[in-house]
Amino acid sequence: MIRWLPIALVGVLGLSACTPPGPQTQVCNPVTDLGTVTGSLTPVSTLKVLDPDKTEVAPSEVVVTDSAFSANAGDLLVSNCNDGLLRKVTGVSTQFVGSNGVSSQAVRKVYLKTENAALEDAIASGEVTLETDLTIGEANMVQALDGVSVQDFTGKINLTNVKFDIQGVPGASITLNGFIEQTLKPNFNLKFSSGSIEVFKAGMSGTLKAQITATIQANASYSAFDVSRELASWNIKRAFLVGSVPVVVVLQPKLIAGVSSNASGKVTVTVGIAPTFTTNLQLDYNRSRTTNGGWNNTFTANFALNPTFNYAVPVQGSGNAFAGLAMDIKFYGVAGPSLEAKPFINLTLSGNNGAATLKSGINGSSKVEAGFKVLGKGLEAAYNGPSIEHARTFSCQAPSTCTAN
């Protein structure tokens, strides 16, 4: 639970007059889960690394309780505090809090007025690669809808009868079952030169194992509909200590799923895939790139799909479903890149002859919102990367045969 501390200020140099209280500050909880680091960064001479145990924070103020600490306007502050602290000092004042002013019983507090800063203001030069595991589990789960559970240690996410009702058709639905299991490693690369960030990369690579079945069941025809949901989400904090400089990253993976469908009459069909994807999804910024504000995205995937198909009542129509991971990334508490890897099933029903076409594979996409300048001012431009698809198609025939095209 967050503890809020009111700050009572007592006059300095032994003065007994009362001064009004300052803004409420929040306890600084250090991020102790560490990621792997290679490379080094050279900080500027005015960078101050704060001890979380001696620091409290407010929206525009940082309070340091440390008799040896000093700072000046223009200094940069950094700490592995909460979601990460990265500020520039605009003003400094010192108070001795205690009944006897500056006596030995008083506590010295330094009040720092601050404003937002960018890491490129604090780093003179250097290059660093950061990597960590995506440890999805119950401990860091924020929320999950009915039918979604996760196994600790393995990170296996189970889907049990996750139902999407078909609008306007009583009792009609598309139901997802199966699991997603991942051994993905988020990774980041930062390079600073000539006073600004030259390269930034965010990615996740590894394996994404899935077993997904989608069952469409309706007793009447229905018009096209499309719906998607966030089924579960997690919150994972990592601190990367690059020499004396803490780089704090918050990973917010989400399980997302969606369906769309239409049919010309009564239909019952179940289709599934059971692949293991080897993936590498990357979003990168390069200062010298002249297109898309310097941003680009790439995605590779290798897989064997192992499709299943069961078609009981042939009609004309289609059904699509996906279930995958989206990961939002924050640096020092500021929302940055988002990455998505989504296994999908697209089924086209040809009509009363029981034929169908199955297209399946994985989509990868990435984006970054406007204003992501916490790492560098060049990263301000928004970028919505195109979705990149790796897929295969199959010709299927009722009741249960699929052949790769």
Side-chain angles (χ1 to χ4, degrees), residues 317-388:
S318 67
N320 307 301
F322 72 83
L325 286 175
M327 184 171 67
D328 295 334
I329 303 160
K330 293 182 178 181
F331 282 80
Y332 299 103
V334 177
S338 295
L339 306 171
E340 290 188 1
K342 302 188 301 188
F344 69 87
I345 304 167
N346 293 345
L347 182 68
T348 302
L349 306 176
S350 299
N352 293 331
N353 62 359
T357 300
L358 170 63
K359 181 181 178 182
S360 188
I362 187 169
N363 282 323
S365 62
S366 58
K367 65 179 181 179
V368 65
E369 300 294 340
F372 179 57
K373 57 184 180 180
V374 64
L375 299 184
K377 296 181 178 66
L379 279 64
E380 296 178 301
Y383 173 64
N384 289 300
S387 179
I388 302 172

Side-chain angles (χ1 to χ4, degrees), residues 198-257:
E198 179 182 347
V199 173
F200 167 66
K201 296 180 180 179
M204 55 182 181
S205 59
T207 61
L208 188 64
K209 184 178 181 181
Q211 181 176 304
I212 303 169
T213 62
T215 299
I216 306 172
Q217 194 163 21
N219 291 320
S221 63
Y222 57 92
S223 301
F225 81 104
D226 191 335
V227 62
S228 60
R229 295 177 189 162
E230 179 182 313
L231 302 184
S233 62
W234 295 264
N235 198 69
I236 303 167
K237 297 182 182 181
R238 291 289 184 271
F240 301 87
L241 299 179
V242 188
S244 62
V245 182
V247 179
V248 181
V249 178
V250 180
L251 308 173
Q252 296 178 314
K254 299 178 291 185
L255 175 66
I256 54 176

